[in-house]
Amino acid sequence: MKTKYMNPYLAGTLLGLVLLSAMYISGRGLGASGGLKYCVVSVVGAVDKPHAEKSVYYSKYFEEGQKPLFNWLTMIIFGVLAGGFVSGAVSKRLQFKIEKSPGISNTRRLIFAFIGGAFFVYGAQLARGCTSGAALSGMAVLSVAGFVTMITIFGSAYLFAWFFRKNWI
Amino acid sequence: MGPITSAPGFPVWLDLLIAFLIGIGFGFSLEQAGFSSSRKLAGMFYGYDTTVLKVFFTAAIVALIGSQFLSYFGLLNLNLVFVNEYYVTASIVGGVIMGAGFIMGGFCPGTGVSAMSIGKIDALFYVLGGLAGAFLFAETYPLIQPLADNAYRGPVKINDVFGISPGLFTLLLVIAAAGMFWVAELAEKKFARPDITGEI
Amino acid sequence: MNARQILTTILLLLGLILAFLPLSGNYSFHGKPGKLLVETLDENTYCTPDQVARFVVTEDSTMQLIDLRTADEFESFSIPGAINIPYSSMLSQNLESYLDRDVKNIFYANGDYLANYALVLARGLGFQNNMVMKGGLNEWYRTVMNSEFTGERISARENALFETRRKAEKMFTELNSLPDSLKARYRESKEIERKKLDGGCE
Amino acid sequence: MILAVVLPILVLVLTRSITRDHFRNNAAKWADRSIHKTNVITAKQLDESDGKTLVIELDDLAEATGIKGEVIHIPADRLLDKDNQKKMRGAGGNIVLVSEDPALSARMWMMLSQMGYKKLFILNDSTDNEALKYKFQPDTVTRPEL
């Protein structure tokens, strides 16, 4: 079987080296959900400043004149956008497309994508990290939290897989 | 001795630039691995494509082994590398919610952003949903805070839980991963869906 | 051989090497012995009780006194502004959160041994800004607490010195004479905020 | 391919574990004796001990006369010189550090023991260096404003 993507083991090694350099250079792991949160925080701060300053949650991001948009995790997100684009351009995969099982409609796919995203990032905020921030980076530093998050994400996705099989196959 | 940016007086703009560069590497490797395709990611849970497992474990183990060698050679102070803090309830409940989100949306946040960058419209909706989720969390934070802070255990390391050296735990993890890779490739043959894998 | 076999073999071999390595490097001293020797022989790593008295009196915030005695000893009395890291538990805690700050740490105990062990440990583990109070609390008592002028005429310089000693002695006595509840409150206010590592998705 | 990755790392690991020019002991484990004060020895205890003893005077003022064992004079800044290290590694018994300055002997003790010297001691007179010779006298009359 031939695929147009990089060999998964090679890609995994590449990703591992990126993670290792993040650890070596800045002592942190990778993270994606955190960047999304900072985007939201800065939008809320721009739209409704009094609300942001009053709320227990938002206020800690504005202490001492911090700018949530200029943050390590937000920069990672911008980097991911750029890096993904470069990779897509190199491998000629740039194309507007809705990817789904032929059995379902575009609307259904988009609705599920939206709900899925909301669920995922909500859970990631609760667990203080997503697949990259908690599970992948956590495992690389042998943190128990990383292993537990990894097992629960994949374990529960397997449990729920049966209900959503129409979406994918 | 690393981490480099922990040196006092390290300029903030350079720190952010480095974050951007690391992000590029991150996005590039995710896209190259095929994580910009939701059906490839979802294949993990139906057995027809197990790339997720292979890439995920390979990456974690490469970084784990690499960091320990760097530390052995005195190049990296692992005490200064962030170890995720363990909140038992939050990790488990959050993990379950993330699992549900994964199977519905077909991405995780990192792969979603990476897929969005090459023009996947479903990924765009996924990321918008993610922003909504973050907003929702911020607004419901007072309600969920007790759960989020419950059963705090601190930055526990798993090898300390088992009482073995980090090196030995790494070896056991590699052995487990090697077994999983082998099973995964068998599963790919058993649950093969050439109609899907040919398409993605 | 396919990619999986190559990769798993490499990882297994590396894992095997790791499993046999004694411990990862950050548990042992960094750098070379020769460099550590030069650093530990540096005269600038000593300060006298008089200098400490001046830091106490001026409430110098670029200095952090670290008391290495047991918690009991620390509670009964200590130099104003000091925090307690008992020597016996020093290496079982995460030193980064205490020592890796932009202040100079001054170690002291009753005598000379503990403070100087602690200094070499801190240096060896990569923390640069450390000193010891020479002679420990014994010397502090001898020079600062029990200071008496015995000469005939006092010079301006000596006068300043004695003034500082007197003030430090007063602060020391007053603080340590407080009832336990007040003393605990004072200490709480001096607790340093432990440095937290940046990272994760927070 | 496999060899190209694993061999260089193996060679680096081996060279690092053989060379002596760096510390590779667990700092906490090797500092443990200093917590339990079993690294301090008096002249009397030394007399009663068995086996060979190498006594090292770390400074000019140190007087190690009348102490059991072979006495050599090595100023602290020369401790790591090759021939001195050779003498110490070949001592084959107790090594005792003597100095006028307890701070110096404590520092040298910690450095040398982290380098892997096991039977290393500091010579001290019978008084405990870490005992407080004074007693704190509380003043219950005045009360500061806090």
Side-chain angles (χ1 to χ4, degrees):
Chain A
M1 184 185 74
K2 210 172 145 41
T3 80
K4 50 192 174 174
Y5 297 105
M6 194 188 268
N7 179 296
Y9 299 109
L10 187 59
T13 310
L14 188 65
L15 183 57
L17 292 176
V18 172
L19 175 55
L20 181 61
S21 48
M23 284 161 72
Y24 176 69
I25 296 175
S26 77
R28 302 181 229 218
L30 301 170
S33 57
L36 296 181
K37 173 186 71 184
Y38 279 105
C39 292
V40 169
V41 169
S42 54
V43 169
V44 170
V47 173
D48 191 357
K49 193 85 197 220
H51 175 61
E53 277 164 357
K54 222 170 55 209
S55 142
V56 244
Y57 184 80
Y58 294 114
S59 57
K60 61 185 177 217
Y61 298 105
F62 292 100
E63 280 167 9
E64 295 156 14
Q66 289 179 57
K67 291 199 188 90
L69 204 53
F70 292 96
N71 177 285
W72 213 83
L73 290 163
T74 336
M75 286 298 140
I76 288 266
I77 287 290
F78 293 138
V80 170
L81 270 176
F85 185 81
V86 170
S87 164
V90 169
S91 306
K92 303 195 175 55
R93 279 194 286 267
L94 295 179
Q95 179 193 5
F96 286 108
K97 186 177 166 187
I98 297 174
E99 194 178 325
K100 60 175 184 65
S101 159
I104 59 166
S105 68
N106 278 351
T107 329
R108 179 179 161 130
R109 170 69 188 113
L110 295 182
I111 289 173
F112 266 100
F114 188 87
I115 298 174
F119 263 72
F120 208 121
V121 177
Y122 193 93
Q125 296 308 312
L126 186 58
R128 297 168 172 81
C130 58
T131 7
S132 37
L136 179 63
S137 310
M139 278 172 70
V141 291
L142 293 175
S143 118
V144 178
F147 281 89
V148 170
T149 315
M150 183 269 296
I151 291 169
T152 47
I153 292 178
F154 286 101
S156 65
Y158 267 110
L159 287 181
F160 297 132
W162 188 81
F163 300 102
F164 300 100
R165 64 192 182 287
K166 258 184 76 189
N167 283 12
W168 307 109
I169 52 179
Chain B
M1 186 167 205
I4 298 169
T5 57
S6 74
F10 194 84
V12 177
W13 65 268
L14 192 55
D15 195 31
L16 293 180
L17 180 67
I18 288 168
F20 184 67
L21 295 176
I22 288 173
I24 290 181
F26 186 26
F28 185 86
S29 25
L30 287 180
E31 211 287 329
Q32 281 296 317
F35 285 2
S36 53
S37 158
S38 51
R39 286 182 96 192
K40 201 171 172 64
L41 289 164
M44 176 70 218
F45 304 104
Y46 303 99
Y48 61 79
D49 189 314
T50 55
T51 309
V52 174
L53 177 98
K54 299 175 195 166
V55 173
F56 187 84
F57 273 89
T58 309
I61 289 172
V62 165
L64 179 58
I65 290 182
S67 62
Q68 288 186 68
F69 274 112
L70 285 178
S71 147
Y72 179 73
F73 290 119
L75 297 171
L76 174 64
N77 182 357
L78 283 183
N79 290 339
L80 289 177
V81 174
F82 178 80
V83 176
N84 305 58
E85 296 184 315
Y86 184 30
Y87 293 83
V88 183
T89 325
S91 286
I92 294 174
V93 177
V96 171
I97 297 176
M98 282 192 267
F102 202 169
I103 200 66
M104 285 191 271
F107 293 110
C108 56
T111 54
V113 174
S114 164
M116 185 173 90
S117 73
I118 64 159
K120 294 274 166 74
I121 296 161
D122 45 340
L124 173 69
F125 274 73
Y126 180 88
V127 173
L128 290 176
L131 295 172
F135 181 69
L136 205 64
F137 184 83
E139 295 300 328
T140 56
Y141 184 70
L143 292 175
I144 203 143
Q145 194 180 8
L147 181 74
D149 294 342
N150 189 26
Y152 175 62
R153 297 278 186 280
V156 213
K157 290 205 177 189
I158 196 160
N159 59 298
D160 294 333
V161 173
F162 291 116
I164 54 178
S165 81
L168 184 58
F169 187 86
T170 309
L171 180 63
L172 297 177
L173 190 65
V174 175
I175 293 172
M180 282 192 289
F181 294 160
W182 181 67
V183 172
E185 295 202 348
L186 288 185
E188 272 179 358
K189 284 195 190 101
K190 187 160 181 262
F191 298 104
R193 295 292 301 261
D195 53 325
I196 300 174
T197 35
E199 221 176 90
I200 49 182
Chain C
M1 260 179 135
N2 65 26
R4 175 174 63 89
Q5 286 156 333
I6 294 176
L7 180 95
T8 45
T9 322
I10 291 178
L11 293 182
L12 278 173
L13 288 173
L14 292 180
L16 208 59
I17 299 177
L18 276 181
F20 280 103
L21 288 187
L23 268 170
S24 25
N26 52 303
Y27 294 107
S28 51
F29 276 21
H30 315 156
K32 304 197 174 215
K35 192 164 166 259
L36 183 70
L37 180 67
V38 173
E39 287 174 351
T40 51
L41 291 177
D42 182 357
E43 279 300 316
N44 293 328
T45 55
Y46 293 103
C47 62
T48 62
D50 273 324
Q51 284 168 308
V52 173
R54 201 162 56 239
F55 302 144
V56 169
V57 170
T58 55
E59 295 187 28
D60 192 333
S61 59
T62 62
M63 301 286 165
Q64 175 65 57
L65 282 163
I66 295 177
D67 191 320
L68 296 164
R69 300 171 305 153
T70 61
D72 279 351
E73 286 175 287
F74 179 73
E75 266 157 40
S76 73
F77 65 91
S78 63
I79 299 183
I83 58 164
N84 186 215
I85 306 181
Y87 180 69
S88 56
S89 66
M90 179 175 163
L91 288 180
S92 53
Q93 36 191 311
N94 186 358
L95 286 178
E96 272 77 8
S97 59
Y98 284 117
L99 301 183
D100 199 15
R101 300 160 68 235
D102 288 336
V103 297
K104 244 185 163 55
N105 299 301
I106 304 176
F107 294 109
Y108 76 85
N110 285 335
D112 273 305
Y113 285 160
L114 297 192
N116 286 287
Y117 297 146
L119 178 103
V120 178
L121 283 171
R123 278 260 162 158
L125 292 170
F127 305 102
Q128 295 301 324
N129 265 337
N130 304 291
M131 295 174 106
V132 296
M133 179 169 86
K134 199 150 190 178
L137 279 177
N138 280 327
E139 189 64 16
W140 166 270
Y141 258 96
R142 203 180 65 76
T143 54
V144 178
M145 304 292 288
N146 299 344
S147 87
E148 252 165 60
F149 184 69
T150 48
E152 298 223 324
R153 286 235 320 272
I154 191 157
S155 68
R157 214 190 137 107
E158 278 170 327
N159 193 35
L161 180 72
F162 278 92
E163 196 80 344
T164 311
R165 285 180 181 175
R166 196 77 29 85
K167 267 192 205 148
E169 185 194 341
K170 192 163 167 262
M171 286 172 76
F172 183 94
T173 315
E174 281 177 351
L175 166 71
N176 292 306
S177 305
L178 288 176
D180 285 349
S181 58
L182 282 179
K183 226 194 286 189
R185 228 168 66 198
Y186 170 81
R187 297 226 163 92
E188 244 164 63
S189 72
K190 290 288 167 195
E191 267 292 302
I192 52 172
E193 200 180 317
R194 278 158 155 258
K195 184 173 151 180
K196 270 203 152 179
L197 291 181
D198 230 355
C201 272
E202 285 274 330
Chain D
M1 172 69 190
I2 296 172
L3 288 182
V5 177
V6 178
L7 260 190
I9 295 181
L10 187 63
V11 170
L12 282 173
V13 167
L14 285 180
T15 33
R16 179 142 179 117
S17 59
I18 293 167
T19 50
R20 279 229 172 95
D21 200 23
H22 59 88
F23 298 97
R24 64 196 128 103
N25 296 312
N26 181 342
K29 197 173 141 206
W30 287 75
D32 198 51
R33 283 176 59 219
S34 67
I35 294 173
H36 302 106
K37 298 187 177 171
T38 53
N39 62 330
V40 180
I41 198 169
T42 61
K44 195 158 162 265
Q45 286 170 319
L46 194 59
D47 275 337
E48 289 159 3
S49 68
D50 311 318
K52 273 170 52 179
T53 303
L54 178 70
V55 180
I56 300 175
E57 296 175 343
L58 292 174
D59 47 28
D60 297 332
L61 294 166
E63 283 281 332
T65 44
I67 295 171
K68 177 191 158 189
E70 183 199 348
V71 180
I72 54 172
H73 181 81
I74 306 176
D77 57 336
R78 303 244 73 92
L79 261 181
L80 296 181
D81 289 4
K82 251 194 190 130
D83 43 335
N84 291 333
Q85 281 294 302
K86 219 167 150 189
K87 273 184 220 162
M88 291 172 69
R89 300 236 177 240
N94 299 330
I95 298 178
V96 178
L97 303 176
V98 186
S99 164
E100 191 64 13
D101 178 6
L104 182 70
S105 38
R107 288 180 179 199
M108 293 306 114
W109 183 87
M110 186 55 81
M111 188 192 73
L112 290 170
S113 60
Q114 292 292 336
M115 289 168 68
Y117 286 99
K118 270 191 190 130
K119 291 170 158 181
L120 184 71
F121 297 91
I122 300 175
L123 187 74
N124 190 26
D125 52 20
S126 47
T127 55
D128 183 359
N129 179 279
E130 288 298 335
L132 189 68
K133 295 177 197 141
Y134 301 84
K135 206 176 161 339
F136 171 64
Q137 265 136 12
D139 174 358
T140 44
V141 186
T142 52
R143 277 287 149 76
E145 296 150 40
L146 280 184

